[in-house]
Amino acid sequence: MAIHKTSLVTIAMERIKNHIVENKLKPNDKFLTEKELVEQLQVSRTVVREALISLQTVGILTVKPGGGVYIAEPTFDSIHTILKHYYDTYGVKMKELMEIREIIELGALRLIIEKQVDVDTSHLHSLNESYHDAIMKKQDTKNTDRLFHQAIIKATNNETYFKFSEVISEYFALVIIDFLEKEDTLIDSYKQHKQIIEAINQKNLPEAQRVLKEHFQPVFRFINTLEETNGTH
């Protein structure tokens, strides 16, 4: 059975990735040339070029015209591009996005408490009071709420986790949710923020996660209502 070119490209990509791992190559290290890859992989130059282009697209390699091939700097830009393409092609279910966001934030609380991170809770309180001010002044609360939740994820001191969460947040922003809450519901949200901060202070993971899940329930109810109205599942 003949091996199709697409299969050869896939095989070439896997062998290139294995070579990177086995040789413990780091970002900005110079990689093999096209000619060397053709000789080592025993495939055509066209296959090698397609493999390099694909690996550059997903952020593993950087191909500099006339300057060779290098190991790429770690970035999440490629993930954002893939998610954007997926959104443009297939759309997305809001409930699934909320489930992902919930998982990320529950995980952030676990990282903070289990690693016993020294969290600047005064900063969290300050952000929450800004949220409260926006409620009282009947201003848009979305940004102040976002800053509070962003600060929790950043408090993990895990830069990769934070960057990944920001990619998901950008993807979440592709879906416009016109979610207007009553003042009493927003005040409940403000109080839940305070409970989460207190649970972090007390290193009480079950309580922090319980309150966070309760905190997201109004959004899930809103999405369920939308889906029922629009006849989606």
Side-chain angles (χ1 to χ4, degrees):
M1 180 183 294
I3 299 177
H4 296 292
K5 188 177 76 172
T6 52
S7 299
L8 287 174
V9 172
T10 301
I11 292 169
M13 288 172 62
E14 288 304 312
R15 290 181 180 173
I16 289 171
K17 287 189 287 187
N18 288 339
H19 180 88
I20 293 170
V21 173
E22 289 168 2
N23 289 276
K24 299 180 180 179
L25 298 179
K26 304 297 181 185
N28 297 316
D29 284 352
K30 191 163 186 178
F31 195 56
L32 301 172
T33 64
E34 281 188 11
K35 182 179 179 182
E36 289 170 331
L37 285 169
V38 167
E39 293 173 353
Q40 287 200 20
L41 301 175
Q42 293 295 296
V43 293
S44 69
R45 187 175 290 270
T46 300
V47 169
V48 166
R49 284 180 178 171
E50 289 190 24
L52 292 176
I53 289 170
S54 295
L55 290 170
Q56 179 169 244
T57 300
V58 297
I60 293 175
L61 295 175
T62 297
V63 181
K64 300 179 181 179
V69 182
Y70 294 82
I71 308 301
E73 288 279 2
T75 175
F76 286 97
D77 290 346
S78 57
I79 297 176
H80 181 268
T81 301
I82 292 168
L83 289 175
K84 179 66 166 63
H85 172 72
Y86 185 88
Y87 174 79
D88 291 340
T89 305
Y90 304 108
V92 71
K93 293 182 179 179
M94 288 186 289
K95 184 185 291 185
E96 292 179 357
L97 277 177
M98 272 307 301
E99 288 170 347
I100 293 170
R101 179 182 171 185
E102 184 179 68
I103 289 168
I104 287 173
E105 295 202 30
L106 289 171
L109 291 173
R110 178 176 292 280
L111 281 172
I112 289 168
I113 293 172
E114 290 189 349
K115 288 168 58 179
Q116 298 188 4
V117 177
D118 185 17
V119 179
D120 182 3
T121 51
S122 63
H123 178 57
L124 291 177
H125 277 299
S126 176
L127 291 171
N128 196 33
E129 290 308 313
S130 296
Y131 177 63
H132 185 263
D133 287 345
I135 297 170
M136 293 296 97
K137 294 175 182 177
K138 301 189 184 304
Q139 298 173 343
D140 190 346
T141 58
K142 292 187 186 70
N143 187 54
T144 48
D145 182 62
R146 181 186 66 81
L147 289 174
F148 177 83
H149 289 271
Q150 184 184 58
I152 287 178
I153 298 171
K154 200 158 192 176
T156 62
N157 289 334
N158 186 321
E159 191 64 24
T160 301
Y161 196 80
F162 176 72
K163 286 181 179 179
F164 185 77
S165 74
E166 286 295 282
V167 172
I168 298 300
S169 294
E170 287 184 39
Y171 189 46
F172 193 84
L174 292 171
V175 179
I176 299 173
I177 303 178
D178 188 15
F179 183 38
L180 300 176
E181 297 175 291
K182 296 179 181 178
E183 185 175 300
D184 58 347
T185 306
L186 291 170
I187 291 296
D188 285 342
S189 179
Y190 161 74
K191 291 177 180 177
Q192 287 163 348
H193 284 175
K194 292 182 73 172
Q195 289 177 287
I196 290 169
I197 297 170
E198 184 59 28
I200 290 172
N201 264 331
Q202 296 178 354
K203 304 288 190 285
N204 189 337
L205 179 59
E207 176 64 6
Q209 292 187 328
R210 181 195 68 77
V211 177
L212 182 67
K213 288 177 74 68
E214 182 181 315
H215 182 67
F216 284 142
Q217 281 309 300
V219 184
F220 279 112
R221 284 196 294 269
F222 176 77
I223 292 171
N224 287 335
T225 301
L226 275 184
E227 291 183 346
E228 289 169 6
T229 303
N230 296 329
T232 58
H233 302 284

